[in-house]
Amino acid sequence: MPEEKFEHIFKCYYSDIYNFVYHYIMDRDDAEDLVQDVFIGFFEKYKSIPEEINTKQYLLAMSKNRCISFLRHKNVIDRNNLKYFESLIFSTTSEYDTTYDDLFSKLNLAMDNLSDLQKRIVEMKLAGKSYEEISDELNVTHSQVHKNIKKAYSKIRSFIDKNPDESKYLLLLYLFFHLF
């Protein structure tokens, strides 16, 4: 494909494709990455695309498929991270001479810094609920759940930095949030 033609297609459709992807996954950085992937994929496949295909519709279909794959991948990672976190808690409890209840009492201290929504999301996630279940129950998007997990991680990390004596108990919690 000539560079000028690709540049024209990119300029014409970028904002529409970006808006579509952003509203699908509700994260600006991830949306930018996915849109870039869509246009790279389009550029690579251009020669094999029939000329009668509507370019915008083709880009939107590619975008939807990328979004679905992205969200599925995040779901798998989240499920595995929760299992990993639980195994860390149970495997290291005796080393820190604490109980599961002690860990969650320390978590409650750290969670005092979180918004009500962030607290609910963290509690639901620790209870084993998926992003989809949390978003349905709280009537928020999947991406909002993910963003609030990130914000909660940041606040809890700040709590750990300010309270180093609590860090041995919150190390596992830190690992949990760091993995998301």
Side-chain angles (χ1 to χ4, degrees), residues 68-168:
I68 290 170
S69 295
F70 172 80
L71 293 173
R72 282 184 181 151
H73 179 72
K74 277 177 52 174
N75 234 359
V76 168
I77 289 172
D78 291 346
R79 281 195 310 266
N80 290 331
N81 286 340
L82 184 58
K83 289 176 186 174
Y84 179 66
F85 172 64
E86 290 171 349
S87 70
L88 280 174
I89 288 175
F90 290 115
S91 69
T92 60
T93 300
S94 61
E95 180 183 335
Y96 289 122
D97 193 28
T98 187
T99 64
Y100 198 66
D101 291 338
D102 286 341
L103 181 64
F104 282 98
S105 69
K106 301 296 181 184
L107 168 61
N108 286 331
L109 286 174
M111 287 181 61
D112 286 342
N113 299 317
L114 306 181
S115 71
D116 290 339
L117 178 61
Q118 290 165 350
K119 285 179 190 176
R120 296 263 332 247
I121 290 172
V122 168
E123 289 166 354
M124 293 170 80
K125 191 65 185 153
L126 291 175
K129 293 195 176 191
S130 69
Y131 277 21
E132 189 171 319
E133 292 170 322
I134 295 169
S135 66
D136 288 345
E137 194 171 317
L138 297 179
N139 199 25
V140 296
T141 66
H142 186 277
S143 183
Q144 287 172 312
V145 172
H146 187 69
K147 282 181 185 181
N148 277 287
I149 288 282
K150 285 183 175 183
K151 288 177 184 177
Y153 154 72
S154 181
K155 289 178 181 179
I156 290 174
R157 179 69 183 131
S158 176
F159 178 84
I160 292 171
D161 290 342
K162 292 176 185 172
N163 300 286
D165 58 318
E166 303 290 333
S167 63
K168 72 178 187 177

